Amino acid sequence: MEQKELKLGFRDISHKNKNLTIHKAVSEPRFNEKTVLVTSTWDYVDLWLKRAGKHDARFFWNQAHSFYDATQLLPKTSAPLTAYYCFLNATKALLLTKGLQFSDQHGVSGFTIGGQTSLSNEKVKFKAGGILPALCNHLGESANGEVYTLKDLLYNLPNIHRAFDLTYSADTELFIPIFNPKIVRSQTTHESWFCAELTDKFANQHSINKLPNGFERESSVSDKWIIRASNRFDWRPTQKAASLLRYKNYHKGLRKHLYYINGASRLWYIKRGGNTPGIIPRSSMTITFAAMHKLSEMSRYTPDKLSKHFDCQHNWLLSEFISSATAQFIDEISSELTGHEFMLPGRN
């Protein structure tokens, strides 16, 4: 195995007796910490906030938990309202924990065009100030009045992408599954970079051609389809703290292209690049927040119009989003808030 690694020209980076890899948290991942095994992050984050003395954040976190519980009991036409307030309060808990300034405005609004019941006619606007823009700023995104369709927002979420593909089969697949994502180091220099493997139907040049700018095939490997980031950073084993800080900065840029699905195993994806219509360069957290806000507006003010969406071809897509978005969003916010990764017991 050692001889094969020498031939490839790079090797794994071992950190805390594990290969250095990507992390669910974007801004402050705790690479030194073990994965937290929990069936639900609610109680863990509550205790974490209590220990940290974040009493205001803890209040909003527990409010979010109450809205989450209520969402599980409501029908699909009512659930978006409580789901959105779950997101809103969980985001407030995050912003307060990070010491970030934000106004009480939600920072997002929606409107409808045309008379036909269509997800493309449901519009969502990212405003310049408020809670959603504060989350955008925290994640390194803009919020300057951009307008998206509800269809495109749902298109850009990996946790419902299968449902989207089956609903809108003519649209291009956006997410390419990646396996064994890790950070490797040159055998001869301190240069280090991200790489991962493509398998099954994605292990081909067609997938390579769809990669976003800054990613390419690892040319030194011929028997596997390994992709790598062209951007590099320095990892020096004798300077662990400084190397880890450099990796954190590198990782934040990397995560703009990498998404995961919350579940019993680690499922990571890279979003395709190119000029495909409908691609939104945002975190799934901000996209989910905005999409649920639009549905919550309809649930509150025009429930009859929301009900009509469940009479259309996209009813299953909407149902899947409402069912899965809350658990996905809370897992992402929990990691972002604490810097920890969470998995169900039985995983590591």
Side-chain angles (χ1 to χ4, degrees):
M1 184 67 182
E2 185 65 22
Q3 290 181 344
K4 187 174 183 180
E5 288 181 344
L6 286 169
K7 181 182 177 182
L8 296 180
F10 59 82
R11 55 187 167 181
D12 296 343
I13 295 176
S14 179
H15 181 64
K16 295 291 182 179
N17 298 318
K18 294 176 65 176
N19 288 342
L20 190 63
T21 185
I22 49 180
H23 198 284
K24 289 181 178 182
V26 176
S27 63
E28 296 181 46
R30 296 182 177 230
F31 294 108
N32 290 323
E33 305 287 345
K34 291 183 178 180
T35 301
V36 180
L37 303 179
V38 290
T39 53
S40 167
T41 62
W42 288 112
D43 289 342
Y44 181 90
V45 175
D46 177 51
L47 292 172
W48 188 93
L49 290 169
K50 183 178 181 180
R51 289 195 302 269
K54 304 291 185 180
H55 303 299
D56 290 344
R58 189 181 177 213
F59 170 81
F60 285 109
W61 182 255
N62 287 321
Q63 279 281 86
H65 192 180
S66 296
F67 283 122
Y68 176 89
D69 288 342
T71 301
Q72 311 310 306
L73 304 175
L74 293 173
K76 295 293 192 298
T77 52
S78 303
L81 187 58
T82 51
Y84 171 68
Y85 278 97
C86 169
F87 296 177
L88 184 73
N89 283 281
T91 302
K92 286 182 179 179
L94 168 67
L95 298 174
L96 286 167
T97 299
K98 300 297 182 182
L100 303 173
Q101 298 296 314
F102 61 94
S103 72
D104 286 335
Q105 294 180 335
H106 295 195
V108 58
S109 63
F111 58 96
T112 304
I113 62 171
Q116 184 180 1
T117 302
S118 165
L119 295 181
S120 295
N121 287 340
E122 305 295 348
K123 304 285 188 174
V124 180
K125 181 177 182 179
F126 281 58
K127 296 185 176 181
I131 294 165
L132 178 57
L135 177 60
C136 290
N137 292 336
H138 170 69
L139 296 171
E141 301 175 11
S142 66
N144 295 305
E146 297 92 343
V147 176
Y148 305 103
T149 68
L150 182 56
K151 178 189 173 185
D152 285 346
L153 289 171
L154 298 180
Y155 184 31
N156 282 264
L157 293 175
N159 55 303
I160 55 168
H161 204 55
R162 178 62 60 85
F164 189 97
D165 289 340
L166 293 174
T167 303
Y168 298 100
S169 57
D171 291 63
T172 304
E173 281 190 88
L174 285 191
F175 296 96
I176 302 170
I178 56 175
F179 298 89
N180 194 24
K182 57 185 177 181
I183 305 302
V184 297
R185 182 165 66 95
S186 166
Q187 289 281 5
T188 57
T189 72
H190 296 298
E191 278 195 323
S192 304
W193 61 91
F194 164 82
C195 70
E197 183 178 354
L198 307 182
T199 64
D200 301 327
K201 70 174 185 176
F202 297 96
N204 50 53
Q205 187 60 41
H206 182 59
S207 295
I208 300 296
N209 294 340
K210 295 190 295 185
L211 293 175
N213 290 336
F215 292 86
E216 60 194 2
R217 185 178 182 184
E218 173 53 67
S219 58
S220 67
V221 183
S222 58
D223 60 337
K224 294 181 179 180
W225 290 85
I226 305 295
I227 64 170
R228 69 181 182 189
S230 55
N231 194 20
R232 304 284 193 265
F233 74 99
D234 259 16
W235 180 275
R236 298 174 182 264
T238 58
Q239 302 173 7
K240 279 288 180 70
S243 295
L244 205 57
L245 182 59
R246 284 191 291 269
Y247 176 49
K248 284 183 178 180
N249 294 330
Y250 179 86
H251 180 268
K252 190 167 186 178
L254 195 63
R255 283 287 277 106
K256 291 182 179 180
H257 304 283
L258 305 178
Y259 297 72
Y260 77 89
I261 296 178
N262 174 46
S265 59
R266 299 181 190 275
L267 301 174
W268 283 96
Y269 300 81
I270 186 168
K271 186 190 281 189
R272 67 167 295 159
N275 297 318
T276 302
I279 290 182
I280 299 174
R282 292 189 179 277
S283 158
S284 53
M285 279 183 277
T286 55
I287 291 173
T288 301
F289 186 109
M292 194 63 81
H293 180 273
K294 175 57 184 171
L295 291 176
S296 75
E297 280 188 331
M298 286 193 284
S299 178
R300 182 174 183 178
Y301 299 113
T302 56
D304 54 329
K305 291 184 179 179
L306 178 58
S307 181
K308 288 180 180 179
H309 280 284
F310 286 100
D311 295 328
C312 298
Q313 66 157 2
H314 53 261
N315 58 358
W316 182 50
L317 173 61
L318 278 184
S319 180
E320 284 293 294
F321 174 67
I322 293 168
S323 297
S324 68
T326 319
Q328 177 75 29
F329 185 86
I330 292 303
D331 188 78
E332 293 187 61
I333 285 287
S334 296
S335 290
E336 193 61 23
L337 193 155
T338 63
H340 292 296
E341 280 203 307
F342 299 92
M343 295 293 292
L344 294 172
R347 306 295 301 180
N348 55 31

PDB file of all heavy atoms in Angstrom, residues 225-250:
ATOM      1  N   TRP A 225     -11.630   6.954 -10.579  1.00  0.00           N
ATOM      2  CA  TRP A 225     -12.007   8.315 -10.973  1.00  0.00           C
ATOM      3  C   TRP A 225     -11.945   9.199  -9.729  1.00  0.00           C
ATOM      4  O   TRP A 225     -12.921   9.336  -8.988  1.00  0.00           O
ATOM      5  CB  TRP A 225     -13.389   8.321 -11.617  1.00  0.00           C
ATOM      6  CG  TRP A 225     -13.368   7.673 -12.962  1.00  0.00           C
ATOM      7  CD1 TRP A 225     -13.473   6.338 -13.239  1.00  0.00           C
ATOM      8  CD2 TRP A 225     -13.195   8.338 -14.219  1.00  0.00           C
ATOM      9  NE1 TRP A 225     -13.385   6.118 -14.590  1.00  0.00           N
ATOM     10  CE2 TRP A 225     -13.217   7.326 -15.227  1.00  0.00           C
ATOM     11  CE3 TRP A 225     -13.035   9.671 -14.603  1.00  0.00           C
ATOM     12  CZ2 TRP A 225     -13.078   7.627 -16.580  1.00  0.00           C
ATOM     13  CZ3 TRP A 225     -12.905   9.965 -15.949  1.00  0.00           C
ATOM     14  CH2 TRP A 225     -12.920   8.955 -16.928  1.00  0.00           C
ATOM     15  N   ILE A 226     -10.760   9.734  -9.485  1.00  0.00           N
ATOM     16  CA  ILE A 226     -10.518  10.601  -8.337  1.00  0.00           C
ATOM     17  C   ILE A 226     -10.570  12.058  -8.798  1.00  0.00           C
ATOM     18  O   ILE A 226      -9.940  12.421  -9.796  1.00  0.00           O
ATOM     19  CB  ILE A 226      -9.146  10.316  -7.696  1.00  0.00           C
ATOM     20  CG1 ILE A 226      -9.023   8.826  -7.321  1.00  0.00           C
ATOM     21  CG2 ILE A 226      -8.921  11.203  -6.476  1.00  0.00           C
ATOM     22  CD1 ILE A 226      -9.971   8.377  -6.248  1.00  0.00           C
ATOM     23  N   ILE A 227     -11.331  12.875  -8.086  1.00  0.00           N
ATOM     24  CA  ILE A 227     -11.351  14.305  -8.379  1.00  0.00           C
ATOM     25  C   ILE A 227     -10.566  15.045  -7.304  1.00  0.00           C
ATOM     26  O   ILE A 227     -10.403  14.540  -6.187  1.00  0.00           O
ATOM     27  CB  ILE A 227     -12.788  14.862  -8.463  1.00  0.00           C
ATOM     28  CG1 ILE A 227     -13.503  14.754  -7.099  1.00  0.00           C
ATOM     29  CG2 ILE A 227     -13.577  14.146  -9.544  1.00  0.00           C
ATOM     30  CD1 ILE A 227     -14.838  15.491  -7.049  1.00  0.00           C
ATOM     31  N   ARG A 228     -10.077  16.211  -7.656  1.00  0.00           N
ATOM     32  CA  ARG A 228      -9.313  17.007  -6.698  1.00  0.00           C
ATOM     33  C   ARG A 228      -9.627  18.483  -6.888  1.00  0.00           C
ATOM     34  O   ARG A 228     -10.089  18.903  -7.954  1.00  0.00           O
ATOM     35  CB  ARG A 228      -7.812  16.771  -6.883  1.00  0.00           C
ATOM     36  CG  ARG A 228      -7.264  17.332  -8.187  1.00  0.00           C
ATOM     37  CD  ARG A 228      -5.791  17.055  -8.345  1.00  0.00           C
ATOM     38  NE  ARG A 228      -5.266  17.635  -9.580  1.00  0.00           N
ATOM     39  CZ  ARG A 228      -4.050  17.397 -10.059  1.00  0.00           C
ATOM     40  NH1 ARG A 228      -3.231  16.592  -9.402  1.00  0.00           N
ATOM     41  NH2 ARG A 228      -3.650  17.966 -11.179  1.00  0.00           N
ATOM     42  N   ALA A 229      -9.354  19.252  -5.836  1.00  0.00           N
ATOM     43  CA  ALA A 229      -9.439  20.709  -5.932  1.00  0.00           C
ATOM     44  C   ALA A 229      -8.088  21.222  -6.414  1.00  0.00           C
ATOM     45  O   ALA A 229      -7.038  20.766  -5.939  1.00  0.00           O
ATOM     46  CB  ALA A 229      -9.783  21.316  -4.576  1.00  0.00           C
ATOM     47  N   SER A 230      -8.107  22.142  -7.353  1.00  0.00           N
ATOM     48  CA  SER A 230      -6.849  22.683  -7.858  1.00  0.00           C
ATOM     49  C   SER A 230      -6.210  23.652  -6.865  1.00  0.00           C
ATOM     50  O   SER A 230      -4.998  23.851  -6.867  1.00  0.00           O
ATOM     51  CB  SER A 230      -7.073  23.380  -9.203  1.00  0.00           C
ATOM     52  OG  SER A 230      -8.083  24.362  -9.097  1.00  0.00           O
ATOM     53  N   ASN A 231      -7.012  24.224  -5.984  1.00  0.00           N
ATOM     54  CA  ASN A 231      -6.491  25.127  -4.955  1.00  0.00           C
ATOM     55  C   ASN A 231      -5.724  24.316  -3.904  1.00  0.00           C
ATOM     56  O   ASN A 231      -6.070  23.173  -3.614  1.00  0.00           O
ATOM     57  CB  ASN A 231      -7.637  25.893  -4.301  1.00  0.00           C
ATOM     58  CG  ASN A 231      -7.154  27.068  -3.483  1.00  0.00           C
ATOM     59  OD1 ASN A 231      -6.041  27.549  -3.673  1.00  0.00           O
ATOM     60  ND2 ASN A 231      -7.987  27.533  -2.567  1.00  0.00           N
ATOM     61  N   ARG A 232      -4.685  24.913  -3.327  1.00  0.00           N
ATOM     62  CA  ARG A 232      -3.827  24.221  -2.376  1.00  0.00           C
ATOM     63  C   ARG A 232      -3.648  25.029  -1.086  1.00  0.00           C
ATOM     64  O   ARG A 232      -3.895  26.226  -1.042  1.00  0.00           O
ATOM     65  CB  ARG A 232      -2.430  24.005  -2.985  1.00  0.00           C
ATOM     66  CG  ARG A 232      -2.417  23.251  -4.314  1.00  0.00           C
ATOM     67  CD  ARG A 232      -2.654  21.765  -4.089  1.00  0.00           C
ATOM     68  NE  ARG A 232      -2.348  20.970  -5.265  1.00  0.00           N
ATOM     69  CZ  ARG A 232      -3.239  20.597  -6.175  1.00  0.00           C
ATOM     70  NH1 ARG A 232      -4.498  20.979  -6.064  1.00  0.00           N
ATOM     71  NH2 ARG A 232      -2.879  19.840  -7.202  1.00  0.00           N
ATOM     72  N   PHE A 233      -3.196  24.357  -0.039  1.00  0.00           N
ATOM     73  CA  PHE A 233      -2.779  25.028   1.193  1.00  0.00           C
ATOM     74  C   PHE A 233      -1.615  24.238   1.775  1.00  0.00           C
ATOM     75  O   PHE A 233      -1.353  23.097   1.379  1.00  0.00           O
ATOM     76  CB  PHE A 233      -3.940  25.142   2.193  1.00  0.00           C
ATOM     77  CG  PHE A 233      -4.299  23.842   2.864  1.00  0.00           C
ATOM     78  CD1 PHE A 233      -3.843  23.541   4.133  1.00  0.00           C
ATOM     79  CD2 PHE A 233      -5.108  22.910   2.206  1.00  0.00           C
ATOM     80  CE1 PHE A 233      -4.173  22.342   4.756  1.00  0.00           C
ATOM     81  CE2 PHE A 233      -5.445  21.706   2.808  1.00  0.00           C
ATOM     82  CZ  PHE A 233      -4.983  21.424   4.080  1.00  0.00           C
ATOM     83  N   ASP A 234      -0.915  24.828   2.717  1.00  0.00           N
ATOM     84  CA  ASP A 234       0.261  24.191   3.337  1.00  0.00           C
ATOM     85  C   ASP A 234      -0.126  23.412   4.587  1.00  0.00           C
ATOM     86  O   ASP A 234      -0.762  23.964   5.488  1.00  0.00           O
ATOM     87  CB  ASP A 234       1.295  25.261   3.717  1.00  0.00           C
ATOM     88  CG  ASP A 234       2.432  25.335   2.714  1.00  0.00           C
ATOM     89  OD1 ASP A 234       2.262  24.785   1.605  1.00  0.00           O
ATOM     90  OD2 ASP A 234       3.465  25.937   3.031  1.00  0.00           O
ATOM     91  N   TRP A 235       0.248  22.145   4.628  1.00  0.00           N
ATOM     92  CA  TRP A 235       0.109  21.350   5.859  1.00  0.00           C
ATOM     93  C   TRP A 235       1.496  20.890   6.278  1.00  0.00           C
ATOM     94  O   TRP A 235       2.156  20.131   5.576  1.00  0.00           O
ATOM     95  CB  TRP A 235      -0.793  20.145   5.647  1.00  0.00           C
ATOM     96  CG  TRP A 235      -0.941  19.341   6.909  1.00  0.00           C
ATOM     97  CD1 TRP A 235      -0.112  18.358   7.377  1.00  0.00           C
ATOM     98  CD2 TRP A 235      -1.966  19.488   7.893  1.00  0.00           C
ATOM     99  NE1 TRP A 235      -0.546  17.869   8.586  1.00  0.00           N
ATOM    100  CE2 TRP A 235      -1.692  18.545   8.925  1.00  0.00           C
ATOM    101  CE3 TRP A 235      -3.082  20.309   8.013  1.00  0.00           C
ATOM    102  CZ2 TRP A 235      -2.511  18.421  10.053  1.00  0.00           C
ATOM    103  CZ3 TRP A 235      -3.891  20.173   9.137  1.00  0.00           C
ATOM    104  CH2 TRP A 235      -3.602  19.241  10.136  1.00  0.00           C
ATOM    105  N   ARG A 236       1.921  21.386   7.436  1.00  0.00           N
ATOM    106  CA  ARG A 236       3.233  21.036   7.969  1.00  0.00           C
ATOM    107  C   ARG A 236       3.035  20.257   9.268  1.00  0.00           C
ATOM    108  O   ARG A 236       2.554  20.821  10.267  1.00  0.00           O
ATOM    109  CB  ARG A 236       4.075  22.296   8.208  1.00  0.00           C
ATOM    110  CG  ARG A 236       4.354  23.073   6.921  1.00  0.00           C
ATOM    111  CD  ARG A 236       5.064  24.388   7.167  1.00  0.00           C
ATOM    112  NE  ARG A 236       5.264  25.100   5.906  1.00  0.00           N
ATOM    113  CZ  ARG A 236       6.383  25.048   5.179  1.00  0.00           C
ATOM    114  NH1 ARG A 236       7.405  24.325   5.613  1.00  0.00           N
ATOM    115  NH2 ARG A 236       6.476  25.709   4.042  1.00  0.00           N
ATOM    116  N   PRO A 237       3.392  18.984   9.283  1.00  0.00           N
ATOM    117  CA  PRO A 237       3.164  18.129  10.456  1.00  0.00           C
ATOM    118  C   PRO A 237       3.784  18.674  11.741  1.00  0.00           C
ATOM    119  O   PRO A 237       3.281  18.412  12.839  1.00  0.00           O
ATOM    120  CB  PRO A 237       3.804  16.797  10.049  1.00  0.00           C
ATOM    121  CG  PRO A 237       3.756  16.803   8.556  1.00  0.00           C
ATOM    122  CD  PRO A 237       3.971  18.226   8.160  1.00  0.00           C
ATOM    123  N   THR A 238       4.870  19.435  11.618  1.00  0.00           N
ATOM    124  CA  THR A 238       5.522  19.978  12.812  1.00  0.00           C
ATOM    125  C   THR A 238       4.853  21.262  13.303  1.00  0.00           C
ATOM    126  O   THR A 238       5.239  21.799  14.330  1.00  0.00           O
ATOM    127  CB  THR A 238       7.004  20.270  12.525  1.00  0.00           C
ATOM    128  OG1 THR A 238       7.096  21.186  11.428  1.00  0.00           O
ATOM    129  CG2 THR A 238       7.742  18.978  12.186  1.00  0.00           C
ATOM    130  N   GLN A 239       3.876  21.753  12.534  1.00  0.00           N
ATOM    131  CA  GLN A 239       3.156  22.979  12.900  1.00  0.00           C
ATOM    132  C   GLN A 239       1.654  22.697  12.863  1.00  0.00           C
ATOM    133  O   GLN A 239       0.910  23.269  12.064  1.00  0.00           O
ATOM    134  CB  GLN A 239       3.513  24.116  11.938  1.00  0.00           C
ATOM    135  CG  GLN A 239       4.989  24.446  11.867  1.00  0.00           C
ATOM    136  CD  GLN A 239       5.305  25.463  10.776  1.00  0.00           C
ATOM    137  OE1 GLN A 239       4.414  26.021  10.141  1.00  0.00           O
ATOM    138  NE2 GLN A 239       6.597  25.696  10.555  1.00  0.00           N
ATOM    139  N   LYS A 240       1.189  21.787  13.708  1.00  0.00           N
ATOM    140  CA  LYS A 240      -0.198  21.311  13.657  1.00  0.00           C
ATOM    141  C   LYS A 240      -1.210  22.456  13.815  1.00  0.00           C
ATOM    142  O   LYS A 240      -2.183  22.546  13.065  1.00  0.00           O
ATOM    143  CB  LYS A 240      -0.435  20.247  14.728  1.00  0.00           C
ATOM    144  CG  LYS A 240       0.051  18.857  14.347  1.00  0.00           C
ATOM    145  CD  LYS A 240      -0.853  18.252  13.294  1.00  0.00           C
ATOM    146  CE  LYS A 240      -0.385  16.843  12.896  1.00  0.00           C
ATOM    147  NZ  LYS A 240      -0.595  15.857  13.951  1.00  0.00           N
ATOM    148  N   ALA A 241      -1.016  23.324  14.806  1.00  0.00           N
ATOM    149  CA  ALA A 241      -1.996  24.384  15.062  1.00  0.00           C
ATOM    150  C   ALA A 241      -2.101  25.338  13.870  1.00  0.00           C
ATOM    151  O   ALA A 241      -3.200  25.671  13.420  1.00  0.00           O
ATOM    152  CB  ALA A 241      -1.617  25.155  16.326  1.00  0.00           C
ATOM    153  N   ALA A 242      -0.957  25.765  13.350  1.00  0.00           N
ATOM    154  CA  ALA A 242      -0.963  26.680  12.202  1.00  0.00           C
ATOM    155  C   ALA A 242      -1.504  25.986  10.962  1.00  0.00           C
ATOM    156  O   ALA A 242      -2.243  26.598  10.162  1.00  0.00           O
ATOM    157  CB  ALA A 242       0.452  27.198  11.947  1.00  0.00           C
ATOM    158  N   SER A 243      -1.181  24.730  10.780  1.00  0.00           N
ATOM    159  CA  SER A 243      -1.669  23.973   9.625  1.00  0.00           C
ATOM    160  C   SER A 243      -3.181  23.811   9.689  1.00  0.00           C
ATOM    161  O   SER A 243      -3.884  23.923   8.680  1.00  0.00           O
ATOM    162  CB  SER A 243      -1.000  22.596   9.574  1.00  0.00           C
ATOM    163  OG  SER A 243       0.381  22.707   9.341  1.00  0.00           O
ATOM    164  N   LEU A 244      -3.690  23.544  10.900  1.00  0.00           N
ATOM    165  CA  LEU A 244      -5.128  23.376  11.075  1.00  0.00           C
ATOM    166  C   LEU A 244      -5.864  24.682  10.793  1.00  0.00           C
ATOM    167  O   LEU A 244      -6.952  24.681  10.196  1.00  0.00           O
ATOM    168  CB  LEU A 244      -5.427  22.896  12.496  1.00  0.00           C
ATOM    169  CG  LEU A 244      -6.726  22.113  12.692  1.00  0.00           C
ATOM    170  CD1 LEU A 244      -6.770  20.895  11.787  1.00  0.00           C
ATOM    171  CD2 LEU A 244      -6.874  21.694  14.145  1.00  0.00           C
ATOM    172  N   LEU A 245      -5.283  25.804  11.185  1.00  0.00           N
ATOM    173  CA  LEU A 245      -5.890  27.105  10.903  1.00  0.00           C
ATOM    174  C   LEU A 245      -5.930  27.360   9.397  1.00  0.00           C
ATOM    175  O   LEU A 245      -6.932  27.845   8.864  1.00  0.00           O
ATOM    176  CB  LEU A 245      -5.110  28.215  11.601  1.00  0.00           C
ATOM    177  CG  LEU A 245      -5.665  29.639  11.429  1.00  0.00           C
ATOM    178  CD1 LEU A 245      -7.090  29.731  11.954  1.00  0.00           C
ATOM    179  CD2 LEU A 245      -4.762  30.642  12.148  1.00  0.00           C
ATOM    180  N   ARG A 246      -4.853  27.004   8.708  1.00  0.00           N
ATOM    181  CA  ARG A 246      -4.837  27.164   7.253  1.00  0.00           C
ATOM    182  C   ARG A 246      -5.892  26.276   6.607  1.00  0.00           C
ATOM    183  O   ARG A 246      -6.566  26.679   5.658  1.00  0.00           O
ATOM    184  CB  ARG A 246      -3.448  26.828   6.700  1.00  0.00           C
ATOM    185  CG  ARG A 246      -2.404  27.919   6.923  1.00  0.00           C
ATOM    186  CD  ARG A 246      -1.145  27.663   6.131  1.00  0.00           C
ATOM    187  NE  ARG A 246      -0.406  26.507   6.619  1.00  0.00           N
ATOM    188  CZ  ARG A 246       0.542  26.568   7.547  1.00  0.00           C
ATOM    189  NH1 ARG A 246       0.852  27.734   8.113  1.00  0.00           N
ATOM    190  NH2 ARG A 246       1.184  25.471   7.928  1.00  0.00           N
ATOM    191  N   TYR A 247      -6.060  25.068   7.155  1.00  0.00           N
ATOM    192  CA  TYR A 247      -7.060  24.180   6.592  1.00  0.00           C
ATOM    193  C   TYR A 247      -8.475  24.708   6.829  1.00  0.00           C
ATOM    194  O   TYR A 247      -9.344  24.585   5.964  1.00  0.00           O
ATOM    195  CB  TYR A 247      -6.927  22.755   7.132  1.00  0.00           C
ATOM    196  CG  TYR A 247      -8.035  21.859   6.606  1.00  0.00           C
ATOM    197  CD1 TYR A 247      -8.324  21.828   5.242  1.00  0.00           C
ATOM    198  CD2 TYR A 247      -8.815  21.089   7.455  1.00  0.00           C
ATOM    199  CE1 TYR A 247      -9.346  21.042   4.739  1.00  0.00           C
ATOM    200  CE2 TYR A 247      -9.835  20.286   6.956  1.00  0.00           C
ATOM    201  CZ  TYR A 247     -10.101  20.271   5.603  1.00  0.00           C
ATOM    202  OH  TYR A 247     -11.128  19.504   5.119  1.00  0.00           O
ATOM    203  N   LYS A 248      -8.732  25.297   7.997  1.00  0.00           N
ATOM    204  CA  LYS A 248     -10.059  25.856   8.269  1.00  0.00           C
ATOM    205  C   LYS A 248     -10.428  26.925   7.239  1.00  0.00           C
ATOM    206  O   LYS A 248     -11.566  26.980   6.762  1.00  0.00           O
ATOM    207  CB  LYS A 248     -10.114  26.429   9.687  1.00  0.00           C
ATOM    208  CG  LYS A 248     -10.215  25.373  10.778  1.00  0.00           C
ATOM    209  CD  LYS A 248     -10.350  26.012  12.156  1.00  0.00           C
ATOM    210  CE  LYS A 248     -10.499  24.947  13.232  1.00  0.00           C
ATOM    211  NZ  LYS A 248     -10.629  25.523  14.597  1.00  0.00           N
ATOM    212  N   ASN A 249      -9.478  27.772   6.896  1.00  0.00           N
ATOM    213  CA  ASN A 249      -9.732  28.798   5.879  1.00  0.00           C
ATOM    214  C   ASN A 249      -9.969  28.155   4.509  1.00  0.00           C
ATOM    215  O   ASN A 249     -10.857  28.574   3.761  1.00  0.00           O
ATOM    216  CB  ASN A 249      -8.553  29.772   5.814  1.00  0.00           C
ATOM    217  CG  ASN A 249      -8.408  30.588   7.076  1.00  0.00           C
ATOM    218  OD1 ASN A 249      -9.389  30.878   7.759  1.00  0.00           O
ATOM    219  ND2 ASN A 249      -7.186  30.958   7.422  1.00  0.00           N
ATOM    220  N   TYR A 250      -9.185  27.154   4.194  1.00  0.00           N
ATOM    221  CA  TYR A 250      -9.333  26.413   2.942  1.00  0.00           C
ATOM    222  C   TYR A 250     -10.690  25.709   2.904  1.00  0.00           C
ATOM    223  O   TYR A 250     -11.399  25.723   1.888  1.00  0.00           O
ATOM    224  CB  TYR A 250      -8.198  25.402   2.851  1.00  0.00           C
ATOM    225  CG  TYR A 250      -8.184  24.517   1.631  1.00  0.00           C
ATOM    226  CD1 TYR A 250      -7.573  24.922   0.447  1.00  0.00           C
ATOM    227  CD2 TYR A 250      -8.739  23.235   1.675  1.00  0.00           C
ATOM    228  CE1 TYR A 250      -7.527  24.090  -0.659  1.00  0.00           C
ATOM    229  CE2 TYR A 250      -8.695  22.395   0.574  1.00  0.00           C
ATOM    230  CZ  TYR A 250      -8.089  22.824  -0.592  1.00  0.00           C
ATOM    231  OH  TYR A 250      -8.044  21.987  -1.685  1.00  0.00           O
TER     232      TYR A 250
END
